[in-house]
Amino acid sequence: MTIKIARRQGRHLEVSLTTPLHTSALVGTLSADGRHLQLKGRQLSFFFDIDGNQMSGCGSANGGSGTIENWLDNYSALCAELQAADGPK
């Protein structure tokens, strides 16, 4: 999983989250102390703890059509551990 910050305004972020199968746009907010990040998109929700250049946390994903049948067949819970990397120069 890769998270790239597309835009930041104070503590508020717009990010893209990319996996081998999907890319999603999410919005999020950093806690006042910068140690937690809450992200939410149409199909994904995550809460991360930040420690230096690493963050870890868990979230959930659901199907995207908006029907209850799609949610029931495509719901998942997931966790991730991420490490900061230098972006393109």
Side-chain angles (χ1 to χ4, degrees):
M1 171 186 312
T2 301
I3 295 176
K4 292 183 182 177
I5 299 171
R7 188 170 67 162
R8 180 175 177 182
Q9 186 175 17
R11 292 181 16 221
H12 306 289
L13 304 172
E14 182 180 320
V15 305
S16 64
L17 183 144
T18 304
T19 70
L21 300 176
H22 189 72
T23 296
S24 295
L26 297 102
V27 295
T29 301
L30 285 165
S31 62
D33 63 7
R35 296 179 59 201
H36 308 286
L37 174 62
Q38 174 73 50
L39 294 172
K40 177 69 178 115
R42 288 182 187 225
Q43 298 170 313
L44 296 169
S45 178
F46 279 100
F47 184 83
F48 288 105
D49 294 316
I50 301 169
D51 184 12
N53 67 346
Q54 297 181 353
M55 66 182 191
S56 62
C58 296
S60 60
N62 60 271
S65 77
T67 65
I68 190 69
E69 292 82 8
N70 193 262
W71 274 57
L72 292 174
D73 292 338
N74 294 295
Y75 181 83
S76 62
L78 47 138
C79 294
E81 294 182 14
L82 304 166
Q83 185 167 342
D86 292 332
K89 298 195 185 221

